[in-house]
Amino acid sequence: MPTLTDNWSLFGKAFWNTIVLFVLSGLMALIVGTVLGAFRVSPVPALRWFGAGYVNLVRNTPLTLVFFFVAFGFPYLEINFSFTVFAVIALTAYTSAFICEAVRAGINTVPAGQAEAARAVGLTFTQTLRYVILPQAFRAVVPPLASILIALLKNTTIAAGFSVAEAGSIRANLSELGYPALGGLLWVVVGFLILVLPLSAAQRNLERRWSVAR
């Protein structure tokens, strides 16, 4: 217990930064992943190829390497941000590939007749996706999307290796102060449980509400 009570500020700042990374990266990944999912089913071949190429490249690249490419590749191109911004970019780029595939799977669950009916009444491809396909697709993929976001929350710990003071850096900081590493790690686990459990509850709530709506 002293490990926690003597270091409230350290734990508070670290987990606050974790939440910031998660929220920013999650929102951006949902947007980028949805756009990429739309590319995957687009009638334009170039967009389909781009979406497929992005997913196959990023999804099969370890997240740590994505961090390296962003944190050291961007400055080489004279694109300079803080390490926190680099972490958000890396997490967004990586998570977007998984969200893209989840969204594409959801789109494929929507009966083709609905898209044909939308086109018959004069809706464009973009309008059909926005008003007809995507609202139903997101309902179908709540569980995988929730799992991806929970994985994103845990993936934020990679940022500790790139000078971002978030939950993954707590152990090293405690060790420098002379506190036992195991005790610090156990409190980090508790902190992540506190963050993950509400996400799981929100997932179950959405599944229950939207299953009734269907």
Side-chain angles (χ1 to χ4, degrees), residues 109-175:
T109 66
V110 179
Q114 297 199 24
E116 294 170 358
R119 287 195 295 268
V121 298
L123 295 182
T124 64
F125 173 75
T126 302
Q127 291 172 327
T128 299
L129 274 179
R130 179 180 178 183
Y131 298 113
V132 179
I133 305 299
L134 285 179
Q136 299 179 73
F138 276 111
R139 290 186 175 191
V141 296
V142 169
L145 280 180
S147 297
I148 291 169
L149 291 177
I150 290 172
L152 167 62
L153 177 60
K154 292 181 287 186
N155 285 341
T156 58
T157 56
I158 301 295
F162 295 84
S163 302
V164 179
E166 48 75 58
S169 66
I170 290 176
R171 183 205 60 78
N173 289 329
L174 289 177
S175 295

Side-chain angles (χ1 to χ4, degrees), residues 46-128:
L47 293 180
R48 292 200 304 272
W49 296 337
F50 176 83
Y54 182 92
V55 168
N56 289 327
L57 176 64
V58 176
R59 193 172 58 168
N60 293 297
T61 301
L63 177 56
T64 305
L65 287 183
V66 176
F67 266 89
F68 270 110
F69 283 126
V70 173
F72 299 107
F74 278 33
Y76 182 78
L77 298 174
E78 298 185 354
I79 303 174
N80 295 299
F81 298 113
S82 67
F83 279 110
T84 299
V85 174
F86 283 145
V88 170
I89 293 173
L91 289 167
T92 298
Y94 184 77
T95 308
S96 296
F98 294 89
I99 290 180
C100 168
E101 288 301 275
V103 170
R104 184 173 70 92
I107 290 173
N108 289 335
T109 66
V110 179
Q114 297 199 24
E116 294 170 358
R119 287 195 295 268
V121 298
L123 295 182
T124 64
F125 173 75
T126 302
Q127 291 172 327
T128 299

